[in-house]
Amino acid sequence: MTLSLADRTLDRAAGPARLLLLPTDVHDVVSFRGSFETAPDLGRDDDLVQSLVTDLLPKGTQHRDRFEVAAALEDRGAFVSFYSDGLRAGFSGKCLRDDLADVLALLAEQLREPAFDDAEVEKAIVRAVAGVRRARESTSGWASGALARRLYGLDHPNFVLEPSDEEARLGAITAEEVRAYHGAHFGSDSLTIAMAGDVPVETAVSASEAAFGGWAPHGTEAAFSPEASPEPPGRTLHAMADRNNLDVRIGHAVGVRRDSPAYLPLYVGVFALGGNFSSRLMQTIRDEQGLTYGIRAGLGSTDIAYDGHVRVSVTLSQENLERGIAATQAEVEGFVDDGIGPEALAQVQTTLAGQHVVSLATTGGAAARLLVNAQRGFDVGYLDRYPDLIRDLTEAEVTEAVRQHVRPADLHVSIAGTPPEAGQRS
């Protein structure tokens, strides 16, 4: 009999870390994913400083410069990367089974004792500013950012600064601020590491204890607003020259968090609305009406700690802009009125259950799913239960969730590109 993922996954304590270890049939290779709580103050734009910190972690430690760090990984055929994710920071990597202890030791050195050389900090800021300037040329980025600013306040994790404000804030960050943020916010708080592959269990536990055993928690509380802004529905237009294909975002916040009982039926419903090429929006707005080449809908940026939103993304030509927006809003309203329907439900259930199985097919994917579910407070068995939870949803449950939480009258609209009047004048 094949053991379930829950039966095969070992849950171990290693110093301050929680380890989730999933041995698989893959030989010699181990993939790992990990994260910890950083408790940023989002009203002070700590997320920007945190992103700089994670960008700088590969650039050397107090014991090795960035070339020595890179060589230590390359000599073992290993890689490690770091990321910033709102209220948490994290890392991912892959290495050979026999090198796991050495790679974990290097990972801990990078996390706990980064160099933060003044010149490297300045380079990181220059790179970040250049990224903001490139994003200014993106209609997609402008439309998405404008919708986020309509839906959320400054201290919400999903808020997005205006590019000019982001550039100004980045320009004011100093190396001292980066070091201070690391010292105050990087610790072992809720440190969780998931490993999958040819995992040497005892080595993983002992090496993690040696690497992270002395890493103290920072004990700081995050400062952020978990709820969306109450701004009434409206429209934002960001005019950009020579962008005759305009990006449009249509959406509103929802008070459904990832651990809410309403999340899965709502997620399934919104997926049926616009999650893939067979969804209702693609069939009507694109295939039947020919108003766009691409339209999607999703339930995005939802966490167990704060609200997310329903969002439709569509690209429209100047001549189809208003027709496309109106048709999209009408289709959302029609979907809410009609409900999901048995055929669409069955199709989405098959698709999502299949996607879940595929996501677990690699060691990296399995480690990532283990970590994400742990962050959400789900037990290990949730990985096994998820397909059945999707398949067990009824048409009535999904339709009720959609009608309760998708509110066509509350939709905000953000547009980026050259508006039709400007295009006609030129």
Side-chain angles (χ1 to χ4, degrees):
M1 182 177 69
T2 302
L3 292 176
S4 68
L5 289 172
D7 291 334
R8 291 157 51 198
T9 300
L10 306 175
D11 194 338
R12 296 286 188 267
R18 178 190 182 190
L19 301 184
L20 298 171
L21 309 176
L22 175 60
T24 72
D25 294 334
V26 172
H27 293 296
D28 296 329
V29 175
V30 179
S31 294
F32 55 87
R33 301 288 188 275
S35 73
F36 49 93
E37 295 177 354
T38 51
D41 182 344
L42 297 183
R44 299 179 61 239
D45 301 322
D46 274 358
D47 51 328
L48 296 182
V49 185
Q50 181 171 295
S51 291
L52 287 174
V53 170
T54 54
D55 287 347
L56 286 159
L57 293 179
K59 304 302 181 182
T61 73
Q62 296 174 22
H63 308 285
R64 324 181 210 202
D65 63 27
R66 63 189 181 94
F67 302 106
E68 291 171 310
V69 168
L73 292 169
E74 290 171 3
D75 288 348
R76 294 169 173 82
F79 80 85
V80 173
S81 63
F82 303 91
Y83 63 89
S84 174
D85 184 20
L87 307 181
R88 306 179 73 93
F91 49 86
S92 64
K94 181 181 287 188
C95 65
L96 296 176
R97 170 193 172 99
D98 292 343
D99 292 327
L100 181 61
D102 289 341
V103 172
L104 288 178
L106 177 57
L107 166 67
E109 183 180 321
Q110 292 177 281
L111 285 169
R112 298 175 62 179
E113 302 177 282
F116 294 137
D117 177 78
D118 285 0
E120 291 293 345
V121 174
E122 182 59 33
K123 290 177 187 176
I125 293 172
V126 169
R127 288 193 298 270
V129 169
V132 173
R133 291 175 177 170
R134 285 193 300 272
R136 282 182 170 178
E137 303 304 313
S138 166
T139 54
S140 175
W142 268 108
S144 297
L147 181 63
R149 288 187 285 277
R150 293 197 64 87
L151 301 186
Y152 303 107
L154 285 166
D155 55 352
H156 192 284
N158 292 333
F159 181 79
V160 177
L161 283 170
E162 287 266 7
S164 58
D165 294 335
E166 184 174 355
E167 184 175 340
R169 178 68 179 98
L170 285 168
I173 295 173
T174 64
E176 289 75 16
E177 187 175 359
V178 169
R179 296 186 192 104
Y181 185 85
H182 176 269
H185 294 271
F186 272 50
S188 59
D189 306 70
S190 299
L191 174 62
T192 305
I193 307 173
M195 302 183 193
D198 194 1
V199 182
V201 174
E202 297 308 319
T203 298
V205 173
S206 61
S208 297
E209 287 178 340
F212 298 104
W215 200 21
H218 53 70
T220 303
E221 292 291 329
F224 68 100
S225 173
E227 272 128 30
S229 168
E231 183 174 345
R235 177 182 286 211
T236 297
L237 168 65
H238 179 73
M240 302 173 68
D242 302 320
R243 298 291 193 277
N244 294 337
N245 286 325
L246 298 94
D247 269 297
V248 180
R249 301 292 180 267
I250 303 171
H252 65 70
V254 291
V256 175
R257 300 185 186 176
R258 182 56 185 85
D259 55 352
S260 166
Y263 177 84
L264 281 183
L266 180 59
Y267 177 74
V268 166
V270 175
F271 192 94
L273 174 64
N276 61 7
F277 280 97
S278 60
S279 66
R280 176 161 173 160
L281 288 174
M282 287 292 275
Q283 290 178 348
T284 55
I285 306 301
R286 178 184 129 144
D287 296 342
E288 295 176 11
Q289 301 179 38
L291 295 173
T292 182
Y293 284 108
I295 184 168
R296 305 276 290 191
L299 185 61
S301 303
T302 306
D303 192 82
I304 62 170
Y306 50 83
D307 294 345
H309 57 272
V310 172
R311 184 177 79 172
V312 178
S313 304
V314 59
T315 302
L316 296 166
S317 64
Q318 288 180 324
E319 58 270 25
N320 287 332
L321 179 62
E322 295 303 332
R323 285 178 56 212
I325 292 172
T328 299
Q329 291 176 311
E331 208 57 45
V332 172
E333 185 172 359
F335 180 74
V336 173
D337 290 341
D338 297 341
I340 188 170
E343 291 183 6
L345 175 60
Q347 188 174 58
V348 170
Q349 288 170 321
T350 299
T351 298
L352 292 179
Q355 286 179 351
H356 177 73
V357 172
V358 170
S359 74
L360 299 173
T362 65
T363 56
R369 298 315 305 167
L370 282 170
L371 177 64
V372 167
N373 284 330
Q375 290 173 177
R376 293 168 175 167
F378 300 155
D379 61 74
V380 174
Y382 188 84
L383 282 180
D384 297 306
R385 296 194 304 274
Y386 178 83
D388 289 333
L389 291 172
I390 293 294
R391 283 190 282 259
D392 289 345
L393 289 171
T394 66
E395 181 183 349
E397 288 172 326
V398 174
T399 295
E400 180 184 359
V402 168
R403 289 176 177 167
Q404 182 177 355
H405 297 289
V406 179
R407 306 179 304 277
D410 293 340
L411 290 169
H412 296 250
V413 179
S414 65
I415 307 165
T418 306
E421 297 82 2
Q424 291 165 5
R425 285 198 301 267
S426 63

